Amino acid sequence: MKNRHWRPAAARQSGWFGTRWVGRQARQREAMRSIDFDLEARRISGDLPPEPRLVVIGSSAFWGSDTESICRACGSRLADIENLTLITGGVTGVGETVGRAFHQARESSGAPSRVFHILPVGSDSWDYGVTLFVGNNMLERREVLVRLGRVCLALEGGPGTDHEASVALSQGLTLIPVGRTGGASGKFYGRMSCPKHLDPKSWGCLGNPQSELLELTDAIGNLVTSSLSVDA
């Protein structure tokens, strides 16, 4: 698949949180106010399995030294959740690593993969899971992506992840940011308190850099499972 490492030119020149990229986002958002994101989400939902669904968002390239291993272990752990559908934004990094680990674990157990990728129209399909297309650019895709589930898991992330997490919260999704991975996830974790329906100890693991990998991935699995149960 070409152009997997999607990174806007403005972000490359001025940094992920540079003013040029933020300004560009604002102009794009202004230009697309007439697009019905909810309608597009309902259309795409017709091609997805029913709930439970989990949307995974995050960096397209890893920043932290242990984020890749966290994503890999996380994908394998999430595959144990019965009938869970995993939805990614169709880019490398967090989405691909969690998605592939999830897919491989499901294949090994003989269970249906239930991995779906959401990309703009005209993009290439992935070589695993099912790729669906919506929108003409990544901003439109982001708006629709987080409307496709009830729970959103975030690791690392720049302005795109920041945008997706903001939309997720505005749409009433449960956001689970793995704060120790930094970036947008660290930002949201620092601003949020543990939701009342979730286990505070598991929530605390998300921001604790001393948590062992198994402890962290079990905490993520427990938080996702609890969120899906409450929101059912």
Side-chain angles (χ1 to χ4, degrees), residues 107-199:
E107 275 198 330
S108 296
S109 68
S113 171
R114 287 181 176 249
V115 176
F116 288 79
H117 315 290
I118 310 300
L119 280 167
V121 174
S123 303
D124 294 333
S125 295
W126 278 88
D127 60 345
Y128 75 102
V130 177
T131 306
L132 302 175
F133 303 96
V134 64
N136 297 307
N137 51 56
M138 295 300 280
L139 192 149
E140 291 183 15
R141 188 276 285 160
R142 289 196 297 269
E143 286 278 352
V144 175
L145 172 66
V146 292
R147 286 171 161 82
L148 299 176
R150 297 195 313 271
V151 182
C152 183
L153 174 67
L155 298 99
E156 293 190 345
T161 303
D162 188 283
H163 176 204
E164 289 164 337
S166 297
V167 174
L169 290 175
S170 73
Q171 293 294 310
L173 277 71
T174 298
L175 176 66
I176 302 174
V178 184
R180 61 177 280 175
T181 61
S185 297
K187 167 188 167 183
F188 277 88
Y189 183 80
R191 291 179 175 179
M192 295 173 63
S193 299
C194 177
K196 293 180 180 179
H197 61 280
L198 298 182
D199 174 40

Side-chain angles (χ1 to χ4, degrees), residues 59-142:
S59 302
S60 59
F62 295 116
W63 306 345
S65 60
D66 61 348
T67 305
E68 184 172 6
S69 59
I70 292 173
C71 288
R72 193 177 297 112
C74 186
S76 298
R77 171 64 178 84
L78 293 171
D80 292 336
I81 301 176
E82 187 175 5
N83 295 323
L84 179 65
T85 295
L86 188 79
I87 306 172
T88 84
V91 293
T92 52
V94 168
E96 180 183 10
T97 305
V98 175
R100 283 195 185 278
F102 185 97
H103 175 79
Q104 290 164 3
R106 284 284 177 85
E107 275 198 330
S108 296
S109 68
S113 171
R114 287 181 176 249
V115 176
F116 288 79
H117 315 290
I118 310 300
L119 280 167
V121 174
S123 303
D124 294 333
S125 295
W126 278 88
D127 60 345
Y128 75 102
V130 177
T131 306
L132 302 175
F133 303 96
V134 64
N136 297 307
N137 51 56
M138 295 300 280
L139 192 149
E140 291 183 15
R141 188 276 285 160
R142 289 196 297 269

